[in-house]
Amino acid sequence: MAVTAKTKDVSVSYKKLNPILDKIRGMDVEQALNILRFVPSPWAREVSKVVKSAVANAENNFMIDSEDLKITEIYSGVGPTIKRFRARARGRAARVLRRSSNITVVVDKE
């Protein structure tokens, strides 16, 4: 039984999240959380929160032991983009796009 957890509007581009997600894709949950603890990116904490949420969903909703879980799918998608303007030379404005992303984690028994 596949169990999912999602988070929305994480204030980082999905392109910055993909290298972190590639490191833990297909791993056991305990091993993935250990790796995320030592990744130097500040966004690894957000990814670990979603993984822990998926484990908690599996334990509480389906009575699956957390030691048996493996990350089958993990991906990030494009979230809403906040559009801002920055002042430039000669009275002009430049557009600043603050991108966000959505993270989805799917765990299942081994």
Side-chain angles (χ1 to χ4, degrees):
M1 164 85 30
V3 182
T4 64
K6 298 178 184 179
T7 184
K8 295 182 179 181
D9 300 343
V10 178
S11 60
V12 63
S13 173
Y14 73 98
K15 292 180 182 180
K16 292 182 183 179
L17 282 176
N18 278 336
I20 299 170
L21 302 181
D22 290 339
K23 289 181 182 180
I24 63 169
R25 186 173 286 121
M27 288 188 176
D28 294 334
V29 172
E30 293 177 16
Q31 184 180 6
L33 289 174
N34 283 335
I35 288 176
L36 287 173
R37 187 176 304 142
F38 296 107
V39 172
S41 173
W43 308 112
R45 176 176 281 152
E46 294 292 328
V47 175
S48 67
K49 284 182 186 180
V50 183
V51 172
K52 289 177 185 176
S53 175
V55 171
N57 290 343
E59 288 177 345
N60 291 326
N61 298 339
F62 300 103
M63 305 302 173
I64 301 173
D65 191 21
S66 64
E67 298 167 354
D68 300 334
L69 292 175
K70 183 177 180 180
I71 299 174
T72 56
E73 290 182 47
I74 185 167
Y75 55 91
S76 62
V78 179
T81 301
I82 300 172
K83 297 166 182 79
R84 298 282 188 254
F85 290 97
R86 173 166 291 180
R88 303 307 273 176
R90 300 171 62 182
R92 298 182 184 182
R95 189 175 218 181
V96 175
L97 300 176
R98 295 186 181 175
R99 302 186 189 274
S100 65
S101 59
N102 304 326
I103 304 171
T104 303
V105 178
V106 180
V107 295
D108 202 356
K109 285 185 182 180
E110 292 182 359

